[in-house]
Amino acid sequence: SRSAEDIRIQAERILPGLREALGTAYRVDIMDADSQVGSGSLPTRTIPSTAIAVRSAGGDDVTRQLLAAFRNLPVPVIGYVNKGQLLLDLRCMDDEDDFLSQLGALRL
């Protein structure tokens, strides 16, 4: 029920902390995304969202490593891979402070 604008504003708040946590080995950017409706129950229906894209600054494919690092956080973060980058769709993120506070536990 959140507007695409609210999600983008949240992404802008999260971006600096995520960039700091990941360091210079990764590029972290905001991008438009389409969230799937109903966790797959309506596979052809999407709604606008915003994602944070994470990829290697050197062009290496590190998506498996990134997926594992985010899944292994105290509160797991589940993203998806598209075109060699890890995407974190923020449509369902309800507690950005908790998300940011656990980034120090990332093991890359």
Side-chain angles (χ1 to χ4, degrees), residues 59-89:
D60 302 326
D61 184 2
V62 295
T63 51
R64 285 181 192 238
Q65 179 185 8
L66 283 168
L67 282 167
F70 279 97
R71 273 195 318 264
N72 290 322
L73 287 171
V75 177
V77 175
I78 309 299
Y80 62 97
V81 177
N82 187 327
K83 297 180 182 175
Q85 58 191 350
L86 172 63
L87 298 177
L88 304 174
D89 187 339

Side-chain angles (χ1 to χ4, degrees), residues 24-78:
T24 59
Y26 299 93
R27 291 193 53 200
V28 184
D29 298 297
I30 295 172
M31 63 179 285
D32 293 331
D34 292 313
S35 293
Q36 191 173 19
V37 176
S39 299
S41 63
L42 297 170
T44 60
R45 183 149 180 231
T46 61
I47 49 179
S49 187
T50 299
I52 293 183
V54 182
R55 62 190 166 281
S56 167
D60 302 326
D61 184 2
V62 295
T63 51
R64 285 181 192 238
Q65 179 185 8
L66 283 168
L67 282 167
F70 279 97
R71 273 195 318 264
N72 290 322
L73 287 171
V75 177
V77 175
I78 309 299

Side-chain angles (χ1 to χ4, degrees), residues 2-12 48-51 89-92:
R2 295 172 53 205
S3 73
E5 181 181 349
D6 286 346
I7 299 167
R8 176 156 298 267
I9 291 168
Q10 182 182 46
E12 291 167 358
S49 187
T50 299
D89 187 339
L90 301 182
R91 174 157 292 285
C92 295

